[in-house]
Amino acid sequence: MTATQGAQLRGAGQDGGRGPRTVGSTLRAYVALTKPRIIELLLITTIPTMFLAAGGFPSLWLIIATMVGGYLAAGGANALNMYLERDIDAKMKRTRKRPIPSGAVTPRAALIFGLTISAVSALWLGLLVNWVSAALAVGAILLYVVFYTMILKRRTSQNIVWGGIAGCMPVLIGWSAVTGTVSWTAVLLFLVIFFWTPPHYWPLAEKFQDDYANAGVPMLPVVSSRSNVARQMLLHTALMIASSLAIIPLGETGWVYGVAAVASGAWFGFLVVRYALRVRQGLSGKALAPMKVFHGSITYLTVLFVALAIDPFVTL
């Protein structure tokens, strides 16, 4: 073997056999560690909450500072999650191409990256927004990394229920960024997302239950009957809709949010009830169509929070 051939083989090994990594591919790998598609949902909930808390437009700088800090906090938590779950990711078809199992980023580099941007997020929010928001961001990181990833995920079928608390924190961060405090409206928005998370995630776990079973992760659809999963989805959906409607009497929202909460809640409730009926009929696979509920949940949350953002600017 020539020296050139050896160098080529070494370069190929650095990137899962696809040749030497470029600066662009390395940057993309580190961005992938932050799970940007998940963070999109977090930001969708943060900005409208800030609009509602301000009763209109907060300052552009405050929005940018909060978004950057929120992205860094969520991205750091996600990177640490990928570091801790690299063994699971390597076993699952859905995740085996993630940066660590694919070899694009080493575990050590991912750990350093996750810790660094997590620390930067706390300082950024504390110095440029306020320390209440910074403390909430640190709490969200610890909830996701320690409470969910390290303690719950591999031990209980209710992992996503309680682990989902971390995903509810952006509304509290957004509200506190504007007001410096947390109100009952923010708490109810927190509960909307808390109860939304199981009927959002369990249909995805239903589709990929073989993956989760092979990796030894006790997601509820893996270890429980479909009928039990459907019952729990119905319960969480009902509590989600109730929480969204309980915001209205507090008087901080108007008719735009009220109409959207009722209409989108009824629509998503219909999707979950239809799913439960299909389970009762013994349907499975494409006939059960769990991903319709998954995608419907994203649409529901988007509609609700877009209405929340528009609401302060519309008066009768």
Side-chain angles (χ1 to χ4, degrees):
M1 179 185 296
T2 66
T4 300
Q5 289 172 326
Q8 290 173 339
L9 288 174
R10 288 192 296 274
Q14 290 174 350
D15 197 23
R18 292 186 296 275
R21 289 198 300 272
T22 64
V23 172
S25 65
T26 299
L27 287 175
R28 285 192 294 272
Y30 277 96
V31 170
L33 279 175
T34 67
K35 300 183 183 178
R37 293 186 66 183
I38 293 177
I39 293 177
E40 286 175 12
L41 276 177
L42 302 181
L43 299 185
I44 283 173
T45 62
T46 304
I47 295 176
T49 302
M50 294 180 71
F51 281 14
L52 183 64
F57 283 111
S59 73
L60 181 60
W61 166 246
L62 182 62
I63 294 173
I64 293 172
T66 305
M67 291 301 97
V68 171
Y71 189 101
L72 290 172
N78 287 332
L80 293 171
N81 167 267
M82 284 201 191
Y83 167 77
L84 292 167
E85 293 188 352
R86 61 193 184 277
D87 58 326
I88 294 175
D89 287 346
K91 296 175 183 177
M92 296 176 60
K93 293 178 182 179
R94 186 172 67 91
T95 57
R96 64 178 52 161
K97 292 184 180 180
R98 284 178 173 175
I100 299 176
S102 69
V105 177
T106 66
R108 182 174 181 272
L111 175 61
I112 293 172
F113 176 71
L115 290 172
T116 299
I117 65 172
S118 295
V120 170
S121 74
L123 291 174
W124 175 280
L125 288 169
L127 295 173
L128 300 180
V129 180
N130 59 55
W131 290 104
V132 174
S133 296
L136 290 168
V138 171
I141 293 169
L142 293 174
L143 282 167
Y144 189 63
V145 175
V146 179
F147 188 54
Y148 172 65
T149 304
M150 298 179 68
I151 297 175
L152 293 178
K153 187 163 185 177
R154 305 186 195 221
R155 290 181 172 88
T156 172
S157 62
Q158 295 296 303
N159 45 25
I160 198 65
V161 175
W162 300 106
I165 293 174
C168 307
M169 298 297 282
V171 295
L172 301 185
I173 294 169
W175 192 278
S176 67
V178 174
T179 67
T181 61
V182 173
S183 73
W184 282 111
T185 298
V187 171
L188 285 170
L189 288 170
F190 175 99
L191 290 176
V192 169
I193 302 173
F194 177 77
F195 292 123
W196 168 87
T197 302
H200 163 69
Y201 200 88
W202 282 334
L204 184 70
E206 163 71 27
K207 180 178 180 179
F208 295 103
Q209 62 176 298
D210 290 340
D211 255 4
Y212 284 111
N214 291 336
V217 180
M219 301 302 295
L220 189 64
V222 175
V223 300
S224 186
S225 67
R226 284 195 176 107
S227 60
N228 182 46
V229 175
R231 282 194 298 271
Q232 294 202 38
M233 285 174 61
L234 286 168
L235 173 62
H236 283 88
T237 301
L239 292 171
M240 176 197 76
I241 294 171
S243 298
S244 71
L245 298 179
I247 293 170
I248 298 171
L250 295 179
E252 296 194 63
T253 57
W255 70 269
V256 173
Y257 173 81
V259 170
V262 172
S264 61
W267 174 73
F268 184 64
F270 164 76
L271 292 182
V272 176
V273 168
R274 185 177 64 177
Y275 177 83
L277 290 174
R278 288 174 174 175
V279 168
R280 189 173 181 179
Q281 293 167 5
L283 301 180
S284 61
K286 291 183 178 180
L288 186 58
M291 294 305 288
K292 287 187 177 180
V293 180
F294 172 77
H295 293 299
S297 69
I298 297 173
T299 301
Y300 164 79
L301 199 69
T302 303
V303 168
L304 189 73
F305 276 85
V306 167
L308 198 72
I310 296 171
D311 195 88
F313 303 99
V314 180
T315 57
L316 290 176

